[in-house]
Structures are given as structure tokens and as C-alpha cells.
Amino acid sequence: MIPPAFEYLRPKTVPEAVALLQQHGDDAKILSGGQSLIPMMKLRLARPSHLIDINRISGLAYIKEDGGFLKIGGLTREAELEGSDVVRAKYPLLLDTATVIADPQVRNLATVGGNLAHGDPANDHPATMLALGVQIVATGAKGARVIAIDDFFVSLFTTSLQHDEILTEIRIPSPPPRSGGAYVKLERKVGDFATAAVAVQLTLDDKGAVQKAGIGLTNVGATPIRAKSAEDALRGKKLDAATIGQAAQLAADAAQPGSDLRGPAEYKKGLIKELTKRALTRAAERAGK
Amino acid sequence: MAKKELIKLKINGKEREAAAEPRLLLVHFIREALGLTGTHVGCDTSNCGACTVIMNGKTVKSCTVFAVQADGAEVMTVEGLLQNGALHPLQEGFKEEHGLQCGFCTPGMLMSTYALLQKNPQPSEEQIRWGISGNLCRCTGYQNIVKAVQFASKKMAQGGK
Ligand code: FES
Ligand code: FES
């Protein structure tokens, strides 16, 4: 399957890339890792007239702690997250997520920015970033602006990025002491999209009660879903079986899955309940360490 | 038709160049423009890993990369394993341990496991299995492929390169 023809453009800087987006309008697309876009082009699900390849722009791939955030450049590859010492030491939720995305070859090219900007609720990072409460930096003609992750996912394959904006950075708030996270995914086989998955990020107080909780759900709706009522139900409570069970039920209630090849909707709701229990338990263990 | 771009790259140590439309996938460029047919097209949908090559030190699925993206890159394909007519320890391992039957997946398996051993010369069985998790084999089963990689890892530790 050879994709339809397009014009290929290779800017050297972000402003150049933005100018190209403005010049070529709605049919121009950014080529980042290409691991979602190229398969879609082969299937004619995407037919961009122009591809703007940002892979040669230097300074867009980095992972660094700075000013109370872990800052991840938009062009950072999934494999770089897996190999990062700071991610391994302090961001277990991110590490869990990066290691279950597709397979090693795909992770060598696929970018964190692309995983989010694609706006696919079946991707793994969106739920993770909802649970972590991150900020997205979008760079356009007028410079950079910050978008709260809660305002980022609009509908299926649609984010609040403007047409002439590029996702240049993700800012993850540095977790306070007694924090931990986990991503638990059920997939039919390695490399598949999630049948369902749950991302949890917790911060406990010095008595072991939940101070802060973030819960994100993968592939059970038109957008990635933040399970707010489940988060609220956890606040101030110790994570005993009853509390975990109640939050898991609320997370399942927040899911809006459809029935498809990966299973009927009711099954997926049940799955969210169980995966939430597991993710909460694992996150709490990690927070307690 | 979009205009052709001149693509120059270093493949298995040799400088090569050819013109291609931007939409041409790297796997077709390697097989058709450069005449290296060791790299296979299996699924053509980024699932099977038969098309795996090493680009700038990292394994990629060449059916899911445009040839223009490899402009200026260093690429290694299965043809790059043979050194002065001698089989690479991995190739020997696949032969000795029956790591292939039809051989369709083998070029991709060799590239993924070559990259794995470069990074981690003594992988555990689990690490080998994760290392080939992006490569499907429809006939051998993975048992002997794992053994083949263990064979190569041992041989390379004894100075077999
Ligand atoms: S042919 Fe590229 S992954 Fe199967
Ligand atoms: S040997 Fe036939 S597919 Fe692997």
C-alpha cells in the first residue's frame, strides 16, 4: 500500500514549520514519528496534501526537570522515555505507559507529542497525562501558549490545538513525596491498542490517606476520560478494599465504551472496574515506598 | 505526481543514492531502488516486523517510514550481517538452533536481535522475548528463535564478534 502523493517539506525550525502550516492550510499535516499517520495514509484515512516533517528540527527532543516540572519535548521518542533515568526513578506511571505502547520498533520512532496531538482515545499517553494533570505547550505564529490537559481533548481525533500550532512541550508537575502511579492495560496481544486501560496517579499524606488522585481511562469513549467522581471519592480516605472498590465502580460508571471487535460495552465497563482496582493498588504501593 | 527527491544514504557501509517520490516507503526504496531484497514486506501494516531495518542505530519498520526520511541516514539491512563471507554469530545461531522454517520473518528477526545484542550483549530469556515482541513468526514458534539468540550471545562473548 503506497500512500497517496503529497508534497514533502522539511523545515529546520519551529517558526518555519508554523509558517508552512499557515501557508498550506488545512490539508497540511505535521509528520512526527509517523507511526499513526503513515498507516492512516496507506489506508486513505488521511490524505494530506503536504507533509511537514519536523524530525530535523533540533532542540525538540528532551526530558528534563525544570521549575517544578518534568519537561518533555514534543519530538521525544517513546523509547527515550523508557531509557530515561529520571523517568525510571520518579515517574512510574509514565514508564509503565511507555513500555506498553505498540512494540520496540514503533517506540523507536513514535513521539510523545504525536501520541497526544493525534487525539486518539485508544492511544495510551492521553489517559496518563490526564491522571498526571499536565500542561501542553502549543507553539503557533504568536508564540507559545499553555493548554491544561483537561481542555485538550475535544472529540475523536480532535484536540484544542489550532491548525497552525505545533505541540512543542509537555509539562508534568513534579510529584511531591509519597506519590506513585501505575498504568494497567489489557491488550489482546503485544502491540495492540488497549481493550481498556487505566492510569492512576496518587499522592498520600503522612498518615497514608489520599491527598490527591488522578485517574484517566483509555479507549472507553470518544475522548480519553478523566474519572473525576472516582478521584473525589478517594480524597481524604485510606485505600482499604471498600474505598478502592467504590472508586473502581465510579470509574466504570464514567466509562462510555462502545461494543466492537475487542468486546461488548458491558465487558469493557467491568474491565475498567477491575483495572482501576489494580492500578490503585499498585500506585498506592509505589507511593508508600 | 509529486516531484522526486534525491535520497542519499549509507547502507551497510556503502554510500548509495537514488531519486524517489516522497510517498515511497523505505522498504520499497531498499528493495527496488537499491536492489537489496533481503528485507521483506510481510503485513505492510506495521504489525509483523519482517521489514525491520536499523536506521541510525535504532530498529524501525521500514514499511512505516518514508524513504525521504532516511535521507542522510545510516541504514543496516540483513545483507550487512555477513562479514567477509562469514556468517554473523546470529545467523549461525538461527541455522544451528533451527530458528527458522520458511524464513520469511528471519531478516526482521535478525535485525531486531542484532540491535538487542548491541545494546545488551547478555540478555535474559525475558529480555530476548521483549526484544522480538515487534516481530511475528508464523511457523517456527519463538522457542528456537530465543535459543538462536542465546547461541549468538554466548558465541559473541567468546570473541566471535
Ligand atoms: S511489513 Fe512492515 S511490519 Fe509487516
Ligand atoms: S520462519 Fe516462517 S514466519 Fe518465521
Side-chain angles (χ1 to χ4, degrees), chain A residues 1-10 31-36 38-39 41-44 51 53 55-56 79-80 99-100 102-109 187 189-191, chain B residues 1-3 5 21-25 28 43-49 52 55 58-61 63-66 68-73 108 112 130-136:
Chain A
M1 287 177 291
I2 312 264
F6 56 86
E7 295 286 334
Y8 176 76
L9 304 161
R10 192 190 282 163
L31 175 64
S32 177
Q35 300 301 290
S36 299
I38 297 175
M41 288 174 67
K42 287 179 168 189
L43 295 170
R44 270 61 180 169
L51 271 196
D53 181 357
N55 285 279
R56 310 282 169 126
E80 293 172 63
T99 47
V100 295
D103 58 49
Q105 294 97 313
V106 170
R107 293 199 290 275
N108 280 337
L109 283 178
E187 53 188 353
K189 60 173 178 61
V190 169
Chain B
M1 200 172 89
K3 76 170 191 318
E5 306 266 342
E21 259 192 274
R23 63 173 167 161
L24 190 73
L25 298 162
H28 299 302
C43 63
D44 200 12
T45 53
S46 205
N47 283 292
C48 74
T52 302
M55 185 165 108
K58 308 234 160 78
T59 53
V60 300
K61 291 177 170 175
C63 73
T64 310
V65 178
F66 292 115
V68 271
Q69 292 179 269
D71 184 28
S112 284
W130 281 110
I132 56 171
S133 59
N135 295 78
L136 301 180

Side-chain angles (χ1 to χ4, degrees), chain A residues 93 97 126-134 149-150 173 175-176 178-184 197-204 210-218 225-236 239 247 251 275-277 279-284 287:
Chain A
L93 171 53
T97 311
T128 298
M129 299 301 178
L130 284 170
L132 286 165
V134 310
I149 193 72
D150 285 325
R178 292 183 300 275
S179 295
Y183 188 64
V184 185
V198 177
V200 167
Q201 177 71 17
L202 290 177
T203 302
L204 306 180
V210 175
Q211 201 167 54
K212 204 164 171 264
I215 303 178
L217 312 179
T218 299
I225 291 170
R226 184 168 161 203
K228 273 220 181 71
S229 51
E231 294 173 3
D232 293 342
L234 289 169
R235 209 161 300 126
L239 284 165
L275 297 178
T276 303
K277 282 187 198 167
L280 279 169
T281 307
R282 198 170 299 165

Side-chain angles (χ1 to χ4, degrees), chain B residues 14-128:
Chain B
K14 289 196 197 79
E15 306 279 355
R16 297 285 305 270
E17 60 176 72
E21 259 192 274
R23 63 173 167 161
L24 190 73
L25 298 162
L26 180 59
V27 68
H28 299 302
F29 183 77
I30 290 172
R31 288 177 56 86
E32 287 150 35
L34 305 182
L36 296 168
T37 53
T39 305
H40 292 166
V41 185
C43 63
D44 200 12
T45 53
S46 205
N47 283 292
C48 74
C51 65
T52 302
V53 301
I54 299 175
M55 185 165 108
N56 296 329
K58 308 234 160 78
T59 53
V60 300
K61 291 177 170 175
S62 61
C63 73
T64 310
V65 178
F66 292 115
V68 271
Q69 292 179 269
D71 184 28
E74 282 203 33
V75 175
M76 178 177 173
T77 65
V78 68
E79 285 92 343
L81 280 177
L82 199 71
Q83 295 294 331
N84 304 319
L87 291 183
H88 185 276
L90 269 169
Q91 291 171 305
E92 239 181 280
F94 273 71
K95 182 172 158 232
E96 292 303 323
E97 299 290 345
H98 306 282
L100 65 150
Q101 286 191 29
C102 78
F104 200 86
C105 69
T106 313
M109 287 287 180
L110 285 167
M111 289 296 97
S112 284
T113 53
Y114 179 86
L116 173 71
L117 292 182
Q118 291 290 308
K119 219 168 71 181
N120 178 3
Q122 246 105 55
S124 65
E125 173 172 349
E126 190 179 345
Q127 288 168 330
I128 295 172

